Amino acid sequence: MEAARAEFALRRLLVGLLDSQYAELIAAGRGTDQLIDDCRALVDVNIALEGSERAKARNLLADMKRLNTTRNRLVHSILAIDQSPGAPEDSPQVTALYSKHRRPDLSQTITLDAAQQVPKELRQVGDALLLWTFANLPAATRQQVLPPQ
């Protein structure tokens, strides 16, 4: 659910940055990673944004990229709970086994507490991004109406 909220915030940001009658259509076809990359590129070249606002947007997008990567590894990887001697008892470690295109399998270890923190942070960053978008990009608030099919 939090990932869907974050994706919504990214779509609104892309719509606001594009400021076109076709922006909704363009934003609709993109996944989260592509939305982040497209938004970052457009933030960098948007002449209407002041330096501090541009930096704020870039920081939020960097946080979103980091959290989305962690979330994807937790959701789409094979997970193993570390039950080896010396593993923390109060917050077990989870190891996510994942692969990247044309690379051998990799793993990432994360505590259960840290894993549970990911959706909370994703929600916070998504909400902050949405508020930033509405405050800085008026086009993001306009709803485009498509003609009947």
CSV table of all heavy atoms in Angstrom, one decimal, residues 18-56:
chain,number,residue,atom,x,y,z
A,18,LEU,N,6.0,17.9,-16.4
A,18,LEU,CA,5.7,17.9,-17.8
A,18,LEU,C,4.8,19.0,-18.2
A,18,LEU,O,4.9,19.6,-19.3
A,18,LEU,CB,5.2,16.6,-18.3
A,18,LEU,CG,6.1,15.4,-18.3
A,18,LEU,CD1,5.4,14.1,-18.6
A,18,LEU,CD2,7.3,15.6,-19.2
A,19,ASP,N,3.8,19.3,-17.4
A,19,ASP,CA,2.9,20.4,-17.6
A,19,ASP,C,2.3,20.4,-19.0
A,19,ASP,O,2.5,21.3,-19.8
A,19,ASP,CB,3.5,21.8,-17.3
A,19,ASP,CG,2.5,22.9,-17.3
A,19,ASP,OD1,1.3,22.6,-17.3
A,19,ASP,OD2,2.9,24.1,-17.2
A,20,SER,N,1.7,19.2,-19.4
A,20,SER,CA,1.2,19.0,-20.7
A,20,SER,C,-0.2,18.3,-20.6
A,20,SER,O,-0.4,17.6,-19.6
A,20,SER,CB,2.2,18.1,-21.5
A,20,SER,OG,1.5,17.6,-22.6
A,21,GLN,N,-1.0,18.5,-21.6
A,21,GLN,CA,-2.3,17.8,-21.6
A,21,GLN,C,-2.1,16.3,-21.7
A,21,GLN,O,-3.0,15.6,-21.4
A,21,GLN,CB,-3.2,18.3,-22.7
A,21,GLN,CG,-2.6,18.0,-24.1
A,21,GLN,CD,-3.6,18.6,-25.2
A,21,GLN,OE1,-4.6,19.2,-24.9
A,21,GLN,NE2,-3.2,18.4,-26.5
A,22,TYR,N,-0.9,15.9,-22.1
A,22,TYR,CA,-0.6,14.5,-22.3
A,22,TYR,C,0.2,13.9,-21.1
A,22,TYR,O,0.5,12.7,-21.1
A,22,TYR,CB,0.1,14.2,-23.6
A,22,TYR,CG,-0.6,14.7,-24.8
A,22,TYR,CD1,-0.1,15.8,-25.4
A,22,TYR,CD2,-1.8,14.1,-25.2
A,22,TYR,CE1,-0.8,16.3,-26.5
A,22,TYR,CE2,-2.4,14.6,-26.3
A,22,TYR,CZ,-2.0,15.7,-27.0
A,22,TYR,OH,-2.6,16.2,-28.1
A,23,ALA,N,0.4,14.7,-20.1
A,23,ALA,CA,1.3,14.3,-19.0
A,23,ALA,C,0.7,13.1,-18.2
A,23,ALA,O,1.4,12.1,-17.9
A,23,ALA,CB,1.5,15.4,-18.0
A,24,GLU,N,-0.6,13.0,-18.0
A,24,GLU,CA,-1.2,11.9,-17.3
A,24,GLU,C,-1.0,10.6,-18.1
A,24,GLU,O,-0.7,9.6,-17.5
A,24,GLU,CB,-2.8,12.1,-17.2
A,24,GLU,CG,-3.1,13.3,-16.3
A,24,GLU,CD,-3.3,13.0,-14.9
A,24,GLU,OE1,-3.3,11.8,-14.5
A,24,GLU,OE2,-3.4,13.9,-14.1
A,25,LEU,N,-1.1,10.7,-19.4
A,25,LEU,CA,-0.9,9.5,-20.2
A,25,LEU,C,0.5,9.0,-20.2
A,25,LEU,O,0.8,7.8,-20.0
A,25,LEU,CB,-1.3,9.8,-21.7
A,25,LEU,CG,-1.2,8.7,-22.7
A,25,LEU,CD1,-2.1,7.5,-22.3
A,25,LEU,CD2,-1.5,9.2,-24.1
A,26,ILE,N,1.4,9.9,-20.2
A,26,ILE,CA,2.9,9.6,-20.1
A,26,ILE,C,3.2,9.0,-18.8
A,26,ILE,O,3.9,8.0,-18.7
A,26,ILE,CB,3.7,10.8,-20.5
A,26,ILE,CG1,3.5,11.2,-21.9
A,26,ILE,CG2,5.2,10.6,-20.1
A,26,ILE,CD1,4.1,12.6,-22.3
A,27,ALA,N,2.7,9.6,-17.7
A,27,ALA,CA,3.0,9.1,-16.4
A,27,ALA,C,2.4,7.7,-16.1
A,27,ALA,O,3.0,6.9,-15.3
A,27,ALA,CB,2.5,10.1,-15.3
A,28,ALA,N,1.3,7.4,-16.7
A,28,ALA,CA,0.5,6.2,-16.4
A,28,ALA,C,1.3,5.0,-16.9
A,28,ALA,O,1.1,3.9,-16.3
A,28,ALA,CB,-0.8,6.2,-17.1
A,29,GLY,N,2.2,5.1,-17.8
A,29,GLY,CA,2.9,3.9,-18.3
A,29,GLY,C,4.2,3.6,-17.7
A,29,GLY,O,4.9,2.7,-18.2
A,30,ARG,N,4.6,4.3,-16.7
A,30,ARG,CA,5.9,4.1,-16.1
A,30,ARG,C,5.9,3.4,-14.7
A,30,ARG,O,5.0,3.7,-13.9
A,30,ARG,CB,6.6,5.5,-15.9
A,30,ARG,CG,6.8,6.1,-17.3
A,30,ARG,CD,7.8,7.2,-17.2
A,30,ARG,NE,8.3,7.7,-18.5
A,30,ARG,CZ,7.8,7.7,-19.7
A,30,ARG,NH1,6.7,7.2,-19.9
A,30,ARG,NH2,8.5,8.3,-20.6
A,31,GLY,N,6.9,2.6,-14.5
A,31,GLY,CA,7.1,2.0,-13.2
A,31,GLY,C,7.8,2.9,-12.3
A,31,GLY,O,8.3,4.0,-12.7
A,32,THR,N,7.9,2.5,-11.0
A,32,THR,CA,8.5,3.4,-10.0
A,32,THR,C,9.9,3.8,-10.3
A,32,THR,O,10.3,5.0,-10.3
A,32,THR,CB,8.5,2.7,-8.6
A,32,THR,OG1,7.1,2.4,-8.3
A,32,THR,CG2,9.0,3.7,-7.5
A,33,ASP,N,10.8,2.9,-10.7
A,33,ASP,CA,12.2,3.3,-11.0
A,33,ASP,C,12.3,4.2,-12.2
A,33,ASP,O,13.0,5.2,-12.2
A,33,ASP,CB,13.0,2.0,-11.3
A,33,ASP,CG,13.5,1.3,-10.0
A,33,ASP,OD1,13.6,2.0,-9.0
A,33,ASP,OD2,13.7,0.1,-10.1
A,34,GLN,N,11.5,4.0,-13.2
A,34,GLN,CA,11.4,4.9,-14.4
A,34,GLN,C,10.9,6.2,-14.0
A,34,GLN,O,11.4,7.3,-14.5
A,34,GLN,CB,10.6,4.2,-15.5
A,34,GLN,CG,10.7,5.0,-16.8
A,34,GLN,CD,12.1,5.0,-17.4
A,34,GLN,OE1,12.7,4.0,-17.6
A,34,GLN,NE2,12.6,6.2,-17.7
A,35,LEU,N,9.9,6.3,-13.2
A,35,LEU,CA,9.3,7.6,-12.7
A,35,LEU,C,10.4,8.4,-12.0
A,35,LEU,O,10.5,9.6,-12.2
A,35,LEU,CB,8.1,7.3,-11.8
A,35,LEU,CG,6.8,6.9,-12.5
A,35,LEU,CD1,5.8,6.4,-11.4
A,35,LEU,CD2,6.2,8.1,-13.2
A,36,ILE,N,11.1,7.7,-11.1
A,36,ILE,CA,12.2,8.4,-10.3
A,36,ILE,C,13.2,9.0,-11.3
A,36,ILE,O,13.6,10.1,-11.2
A,36,ILE,CB,12.8,7.4,-9.3
A,36,ILE,CG1,11.8,7.1,-8.2
A,36,ILE,CG2,14.1,8.1,-8.7
A,36,ILE,CD1,12.2,6.0,-7.3
A,37,ASP,N,13.7,8.1,-12.2
A,37,ASP,CA,14.7,8.6,-13.2
A,37,ASP,C,14.2,9.7,-14.0
A,37,ASP,O,14.9,10.7,-14.3
A,37,ASP,CB,15.2,7.4,-14.0
A,37,ASP,CG,15.9,6.4,-13.2
A,37,ASP,OD1,16.4,6.6,-12.1
A,37,ASP,OD2,16.1,5.2,-13.8
A,38,ASP,N,13.0,9.6,-14.5
A,38,ASP,CA,12.4,10.7,-15.4
A,38,ASP,C,12.2,12.0,-14.6
A,38,ASP,O,12.6,13.1,-15.1
A,38,ASP,CB,11.1,10.2,-16.0
A,38,ASP,CG,11.2,9.2,-17.0
A,38,ASP,OD1,12.3,8.9,-17.5
A,38,ASP,OD2,10.2,8.5,-17.4
A,39,CYS,N,11.7,11.9,-13.4
A,39,CYS,CA,11.5,13.0,-12.6
A,39,CYS,C,12.9,13.7,-12.2
A,39,CYS,O,13.0,14.9,-12.3
A,39,CYS,CB,10.8,12.7,-11.3
A,39,CYS,SG,9.0,12.3,-11.6
A,40,ARG,N,13.9,12.9,-11.9
A,40,ARG,CA,15.2,13.5,-11.6
A,40,ARG,C,15.7,14.3,-12.8
A,40,ARG,O,16.2,15.4,-12.6
A,40,ARG,CB,16.1,12.4,-11.2
A,40,ARG,CG,17.5,12.9,-10.6
A,40,ARG,CD,18.4,11.9,-10.2
A,40,ARG,NE,17.8,10.9,-9.4
A,40,ARG,CZ,18.3,9.7,-9.0
A,40,ARG,NH1,19.5,9.4,-9.4
A,40,ARG,NH2,17.7,8.9,-8.3
A,41,ALA,N,15.6,13.7,-14.0
A,41,ALA,CA,16.1,14.4,-15.2
A,41,ALA,C,15.4,15.7,-15.4
A,41,ALA,O,16.0,16.7,-15.7
A,41,ALA,CB,16.0,13.5,-16.4
A,42,LEU,N,14.0,15.7,-15.2
A,42,LEU,CA,13.2,16.9,-15.4
A,42,LEU,C,13.5,17.9,-14.3
A,42,LEU,O,13.4,19.1,-14.6
A,42,LEU,CB,11.8,16.5,-15.5
A,42,LEU,CG,11.4,15.7,-16.8
A,42,LEU,CD1,10.0,15.2,-16.7
A,42,LEU,CD2,11.5,16.6,-18.0
A,43,VAL,N,13.7,17.5,-13.1
A,43,VAL,CA,14.0,18.4,-12.0
A,43,VAL,C,15.3,19.2,-12.3
A,43,VAL,O,15.4,20.4,-12.2
A,43,VAL,CB,14.1,17.7,-10.7
A,43,VAL,CG1,14.8,18.6,-9.6
A,43,VAL,CG2,12.7,17.4,-10.2
A,44,ASP,N,16.3,18.4,-12.9
A,44,ASP,CA,17.6,19.0,-13.2
A,44,ASP,C,17.5,20.1,-14.2
A,44,ASP,O,18.3,21.1,-14.2
A,44,ASP,CB,18.5,17.9,-13.6
A,44,ASP,CG,19.0,17.1,-12.5
A,44,ASP,OD1,18.8,17.4,-11.3
A,44,ASP,OD2,19.6,16.0,-12.8
A,45,VAL,N,16.6,20.0,-15.2
A,45,VAL,CA,16.5,21.0,-16.3
A,45,VAL,C,15.4,22.0,-16.1
A,45,VAL,O,15.2,22.9,-17.0
A,45,VAL,CB,16.4,20.3,-17.6
A,45,VAL,CG1,17.7,19.4,-17.9
A,45,VAL,CG2,15.1,19.5,-17.8
A,46,ASN,N,14.6,21.9,-15.1
A,46,ASN,CA,13.4,22.8,-14.9
A,46,ASN,C,13.9,24.2,-14.5
A,46,ASN,O,14.4,24.3,-13.4
A,46,ASN,CB,12.4,22.2,-13.9
A,46,ASN,CG,11.1,22.9,-13.8
A,46,ASN,OD1,11.1,24.2,-13.8
A,46,ASN,ND2,10.0,22.2,-13.9
A,47,ILE,N,13.7,25.1,-15.4
A,47,ILE,CA,14.2,26.5,-15.1
A,47,ILE,C,13.4,27.3,-14.1
A,47,ILE,O,13.8,28.3,-13.6
A,47,ILE,CB,14.4,27.3,-16.4
A,47,ILE,CG1,13.0,27.4,-17.1
A,47,ILE,CG2,15.4,26.7,-17.3
A,47,ILE,CD1,13.1,28.4,-18.3
A,48,ALA,N,12.2,26.8,-13.8
A,48,ALA,CA,11.3,27.4,-12.9
A,48,ALA,C,11.6,27.1,-11.4
A,48,ALA,O,11.2,27.8,-10.5
A,48,ALA,CB,9.8,27.1,-13.1
A,49,LEU,N,12.5,26.1,-11.2
A,49,LEU,CA,12.8,25.8,-9.8
A,49,LEU,C,14.1,26.5,-9.3
A,49,LEU,O,15.1,26.6,-10.0
A,49,LEU,CB,13.0,24.3,-9.7
A,49,LEU,CG,11.9,23.4,-10.0
A,49,LEU,CD1,12.3,21.9,-10.0
A,49,LEU,CD2,10.8,23.6,-9.0
A,50,GLU,N,14.0,27.0,-8.1
A,50,GLU,CA,15.2,27.7,-7.5
A,50,GLU,C,16.1,26.6,-7.0
A,50,GLU,O,15.7,25.4,-6.8
A,50,GLU,CB,14.7,28.5,-6.4
A,50,GLU,CG,13.9,29.7,-6.8
A,50,GLU,CD,13.5,30.6,-5.6
A,50,GLU,OE1,14.1,30.4,-4.5
A,50,GLU,OE2,12.6,31.5,-5.8
A,51,GLY,N,17.3,26.9,-6.8
A,51,GLY,CA,18.3,26.0,-6.3
A,51,GLY,C,17.9,25.1,-5.1
A,51,GLY,O,18.1,23.9,-5.1
A,52,SER,N,17.4,25.8,-4.1
A,52,SER,CA,17.0,25.1,-2.9
A,52,SER,C,15.9,24.1,-3.1
A,52,SER,O,15.8,23.0,-2.6
A,52,SER,CB,16.7,26.1,-1.8
A,52,SER,OG,15.6,26.9,-2.1
A,53,GLU,N,14.9,24.5,-3.9
A,53,GLU,CA,13.8,23.7,-4.2
A,53,GLU,C,14.2,22.5,-5.1
A,53,GLU,O,13.8,21.4,-4.9
A,53,GLU,CB,12.7,24.4,-4.9
A,53,GLU,CG,12.0,25.4,-4.0
A,53,GLU,CD,11.5,24.8,-2.7
A,53,GLU,OE1,11.0,23.7,-2.7
A,53,GLU,OE2,11.5,25.5,-1.7
A,54,ARG,N,15.1,22.7,-6.0
A,54,ARG,CA,15.7,21.7,-6.9
A,54,ARG,C,16.4,20.7,-6.0
A,54,ARG,O,16.2,19.4,-6.1
A,54,ARG,CB,16.6,22.3,-7.9
A,54,ARG,CG,17.1,21.3,-8.9
A,54,ARG,CD,18.2,21.9,-9.9
A,54,ARG,NE,17.9,23.2,-10.3
A,54,ARG,CZ,17.1,23.6,-11.2
A,54,ARG,NH1,16.4,22.7,-11.9
A,54,ARG,NH2,16.9,24.9,-11.5
A,55,ALA,N,17.2,21.1,-5.0
A,55,ALA,CA,18.0,20.3,-4.1
A,55,ALA,C,17.0,19.4,-3.3
A,55,ALA,O,17.2,18.2,-3.1
A,55,ALA,CB,18.9,21.1,-3.3
A,56,LYS,N,15.9,20.1,-2.8
A,56,LYS,CA,15.0,19.4,-2.0
A,56,LYS,C,14.3,18.2,-2.8
A,56,LYS,O,14.2,17.1,-2.3
A,56,LYS,CB,13.9,20.3,-1.5
A,56,LYS,CG,12.7,19.7,-0.8
A,56,LYS,CD,13.0,19.4,0.6
A,56,LYS,CE,11.8,19.0,1.4
A,56,LYS,NZ,12.0,18.5,2.7
